[in-house]
Every structure is written in C-alpha cells, then in structure tokens.
Amino acid sequence: MYTAWTLKHKPRTLKDVIGNKQAIQTLIEWVKAWNKAAPKKKAAFLYGPPGIGKTVTVEALAHDLDMELVEKNASDYRTEDAVKRFAGIASQYATLFGKKRLILFDELDGITGTQDRGGVKALTEIIKTTRCPIVLIANNAYDPRFTNLRRYCMLIQFKKPPVSEVVKLLKKICLREGIAAEEAALRFIAQRSGGDVRSAINDLQALAQGKTRLTYDDVSWLAYRDRQENIFTVLKMIFYARSCTSAKQAVDMAEVDPDMLFEWIYENAPQHLTHPQDLARAMDALSIADVYRGRIRKTGNWKFMRYFLDFMTAGVAMARQKSRPSGWTPFRFPKRIQELSRTKGKRRLELAIGTKIKRRFHMSAYRASKEVLPYIKIIFENNVEMAAGIARWLDLDKEMIEYIVSDEKAKAILEHMETL
Ligand SMILES: Nc1ncnc2c1ncn2[C@@H]1O[C@H](COP(=O)(O)OP(=O)(O)OP(=O)(O)O)[C@@H](O)[C@H]1O
Ligand SMILES: [Mg+2]
C-alpha cells in the first residue's frame, strides 16, 4: 500500500519537530499559562512558508501536553454561521472528561476575500471571549484581511529550518526505511527544496522508495531537469514575448551562457515561428547577432555583447508577426551542440593526423584530414607493409593508427613497424 512518507514519518512529539525551537518554546509557555488564567492575548497566530511544520507543531504540542485538539480547516469556517458553531466548544476550558482543550483554526489564508462571508469577523468575536486557547495558522499573517484580528493575537513567526537539520531528518527517515544513503545525496535534496521540509520528504520518497542505496548520482540529474525547465521558460519568454523588454529580460533568467542560449534559439525557431516570413526575419536577426559575436571574438570588444544579446532575443521576438502559437511544441536540445560533443574525440584525432600529414604534404591540416586521410585509410586497410612504412614516415602513433583502421589491422601494422 502506498503511504506518503510525510504521514508515515510525521513527528508525534515536539522533540521530533526540527527547527523553530524559540517559536515553539514561546507557544508552549503561552499554552501552559492558561492553567493559571486566560492570558491577555487569547489566540496565538502562527505564520510562515508552507511545509515547515506549523500544523505538525500544534498537533505534537496537544499530544505532549495531553490536550484534546479540535482541528478546523478553512472549509469549516467560511461563513459567520459556521464559525459561530464553534462558540460552544470555545466556551469551556475542559472537556467532560477533564481533558484540556486546544482549538486550531488551520489554513486561514484558505478563506479568500470573496469567500469570506463574515468568517474572519466571527472568529475575532470568538477569540475575544474564548475560555480555551485558540491557535490560528496562515502563511501570511500580514494580509490586510487579518488587520483587526491580529490585534487579539500573539504573533509567532515560523521560519524555514536550516539545511543541516533537514539533512538529519532525511537521514533518520532513510534509516527507518532501510536505505543506505550518501550524505551528498541527502544534502542535495535538502538544498533543492529550499527549506520546505514536506517537499524534501516527498522528493526523497520519489527517489529512494524501494531502494536499498541512494547515491548522489541517483539524485543529481534533478539539477539537469531543473535547468532544462529553466531553459524552456526562457525560450517561451523569447519566442512569445509581447515586448522587446520582456524578451531581453529572458537573458538574465537563463542559466546557460549566451553562446548556448543562441544555439537553443537557433534550434527551436523553426518550430515556433511557423510563418516563413517570420522565420526569415528571425534568422536575419540571428545572423546579425552572429556577426556581432564574431566581432567580440576578433576584437575582444565586449561592448558588442549588448547587440549580440538584443538581436538574438528582441530581434527574434519581434520577428513574430503572422505565426500563430504552435500549440504545445516541445523545445529541442540544440543538435549542433549534441553533434559537436559526440564527435569531439573524432575531430581532435582527425586534426592531429592532419597535422602530421601537413608536415610532409605542405598543405593545411584541415585539408589534409579531408583530402589525404581517406586515401591513407584505403592503403592501411589493404597493404600492411606499405601502411607500416607510411605510418613511420608520417610519424603516426598507436592511437592514430587504431583510429584509421580496425584494431586487428592496426595490430598487424604496429607489429610490422617494429621490424622496420
Ligand atoms: N519541522 C518539521 N519537522 C519534521 N517534519 C516536518 C517539519 N515540517 C514539515 N514536516 C513534514 O512535512 C509534513 C507537512 O508539515 P506541516 O503540515 O506541519 O506543514 P505546514 O507548515 O503546516 O505547511 P502548510 O503551510 O502548507 O500547511 C509533516 O507531516 C511532516 O512529515
Ligand atoms: Mg499546515
């Protein structure tokens, strides 16, 4: 059966809640104060970003202090009438069985302006007269809707727990799940979630469930996915920009360098500028951008950078005049980059062989690799003795010979060279 790890490993007691030690202590003391007399502020208002343990803290607190927790969500108290129904519960400090009561109104931002039909106001009234502690939770306590309500509350801010604490928690979960996890992998997950503990646990479950080991390699590809998502957003901003400014802003958002961004735009323009005239205009802009790039390279004058960037972003954006949005067309990884990296080793070797040939033939290394090398290949495949002679004459090394012919032939040629 599938159980979310956020539930399975949810802290039952305050000891297991990470971070926000000071805030939690303040909350405990305030709840305990009720044993003597109702404090001046009869509600505590916890606020902070999602997934950091606000709800779980109140639940664990009720557990630790052995209190009865009455938990309500926004959907329960949108209207004035709905809230008034809780007035009865709030009028007694203890239950029939002597347990003390704690009332929680969670996810207060769930009552949005239009949906709030007197809910917040009625809640304020209850707080004024309540005989048991009331806790409120929202992401943003400073929403104008809560201005009046806030006056009756003790505000307690919850912050994102530090990464090191999140790592420790993930470690504990791995231990319980029988997963040997590399520290670097857990650190990566924790950092990526940006302090949101819930999403860190969810990521961990998605990546590690059913495994006995979790390595850095298992998780690091997520960064690639993030970057990929980023470039898609950037390309969308450029191809579908409404103004030059927004197209140009995309550059600052891109996590790739300008050369790479150029390749992405060049590769994807035909799919997204479907009208031939638009595409022609975009290609014109790209070619001008490329001219400026050439000047930067040649002269080292970085002032041209502005033009390079503007033509490839705003220039391409403004090319769109007749193309309709192409529905959902996925962006493609630039082929030129793929090709270049795939053939990098090959090109390096061909050029190195070309350089050897150049010395004897007095031609450029590039031409040598294109025009002479193919013939050398034929000789090497057919005549071991001649091949050995040529290899010696050109001063080719083992790696080069193995590049020109199959391993078996290369072995024969190398052996023959020994005898020369
Ligand atoms: N500080 C924490 N310590 C331990 N576990 C945590 C912590 N924060 C979150 N979690 C885990 O994430 C889950 C969600 O936490 P919780 O519901 O308390 O978040 P929240 O702050 O109330 O978020 P939201 O604002 O979205 O309601 C918990 O069930 C728990 O598994
Ligand atoms: Mg919550």
Side-chain angles (χ1 to χ4, degrees), residues 28-39 93:
I28 295 175
E29 277 160 23
W30 173 80
V31 172
K32 281 187 176 163
W34 280 81
N35 286 332
K36 297 197 193 89
Y93 183 34

Side-chain angles (χ1 to χ4, degrees), residues 6 9-11 16-18 49-56 107 139 169 197-198 201:
T6 46
H9 301 287
K10 179 163 136 173
D16 293 334
V17 176
I18 61 167
I52 57 169
K54 298 182 299 297
T55 304
V56 120
E107 296 171 6
N139 291 128
L169 176 68
V197 185
R198 172 172 33 221
I201 298 173

